[in-house]
Amino acid sequence: ILNVEQSPQSLHVQEGDSTNFTCSFPSSNFYALHWYRWETAKSPEALFVMTLNGDEKKKGRISATLNTKEGYSYLYIKGSQPEDSATYLCAPTSYDKVIFGPGTSLSVIP
Amino acid sequence: NAGVTQTPKFQVLKTGQSMTLQCAQDMNHNSMYWYRQDPGMGLRLIYYSASEGTTDKGEVPNGYNVSRLNKREFSLRLESAAPSQTSVYFCASSEQGLGGTDTQYFGPGTRLTVL
């Protein structure tokens, strides 16, 4: 796993809007895909880990899907709240490597 | 249960000075990691340790050394700091090892500035 891209780099949404962002990664040697949430002045915290093509995980208003064949994962936030403001990192892994993406910075405006 | 702790939180060094960043975890994890985080880039692995007594280079090891003192503690040393080492440093730990489905738990970070 060499190159991990996340888009958009940043976005600003109004409170109550739903939003989604993308993580793209090479599908060769893929093992799992982690999503982490990173609030300002704190440290990254794990949200989800997915392994199978078509996997979908949900935690409250946040959900994620995985397509291992084409090498992407989507993270969705339904009805964004100010407390969702954070940087969201994806981290695909192989058997013995992990590469963190550059992150998508989300700001939710009250 | 403190999780992963790091000291110091902030440090300013002059070029050529040395320092050691300390990290400890109380989750009985086998693996520990040091990352650096620079603007616009993802977390980049400096060194990791899969078990007590073993260390391996990551993506950006040049200019750093590490010691896995025991299962709990993993330190990162800058022997002769350079401005290019200005960054935020994160220590992390995980139950098993690098890769796979293992979730990493991160410390609060150390913000280092090298003048």
Side-chain angles (χ1 to χ4, degrees), chain A residues 57-88:
Chain A
K57 292 285 176 89
K58 190 172 180 183
K59 193 177 203 175
R61 293 177 292 97
I62 304 177
S63 60
T65 60
L66 178 65
N67 182 321
T68 61
K69 292 183 179 176
E70 295 180 42
Y72 64 84
S73 175
Y74 292 139
L75 189 81
Y76 300 92
I77 302 179
K78 187 176 176 183
S80 302
Q81 300 297 308
E83 58 265 31
D84 297 327
S85 296
T87 296
Y88 293 83

Side-chain angles (χ1 to χ4, degrees), chain A residues 30-65:
Chain A
F30 174 85
Y31 195 107
L33 190 286
H34 297 254
W35 280 100
Y36 289 84
R37 171 195 160 88
W38 191 355
E39 290 182 68
T40 302
K42 295 188 178 179
S43 47
E45 292 184 347
L47 277 173
F48 306 115
V49 56
M50 296 177 287
T51 57
L52 299 175
N53 185 47
D55 253 356
E56 183 169 342
K57 292 285 176 89
K58 190 172 180 183
K59 193 177 203 175
R61 293 177 292 97
I62 304 177
S63 60
T65 60

Side-chain angles (χ1 to χ4, degrees), chain A residues 9 31-34 36 38 41-46 49 51 89 93-103, chain B residues 6 33 35 37 40-45 48 59 88 90 97-109:
Chain A
Q9 185 176 352
Y31 195 107
L33 190 286
H34 297 254
Y36 289 84
W38 191 355
K42 295 188 178 179
S43 47
E45 292 184 347
V49 56
T51 57
L89 302 176
T93 71
S94 61
Y95 175 73
D96 60 353
K97 268 190 171 57
V98 59
I99 300 290
F100 283 86
Chain B
Q6 290 181 236
Y33 314 89
Y35 291 93
Q37 196 267 327
M41 305 186 78
L43 292 162
R44 291 185 293 167
L45 185 64
Y48 68 99
E59 185 185 350
V88 183
F90 286 93
L98 195 62
T101 58
D102 213 23
T103 293
Q104 295 190 21
Y105 297 83
F106 288 84

Side-chain angles (χ1 to χ4, degrees), chain B residues 46-57:
Chain B
I46 304 171
Y47 271 94
Y48 68 99
S49 169
S51 61
E52 185 179 346
T54 68
T55 61
D56 285 287
K57 293 178 181 179

Side-chain angles (χ1 to χ4, degrees), chain B residues 13-17 78 80-86 89 112-115:
Chain B
L13 293 178
K14 293 181 180 175
T15 297
Q17 287 185 316
L78 287 70
S80 178
S84 60
Q85 294 178 305
T86 294
Y89 292 85
L112 175 67
T113 301
V114 183
L115 302 174

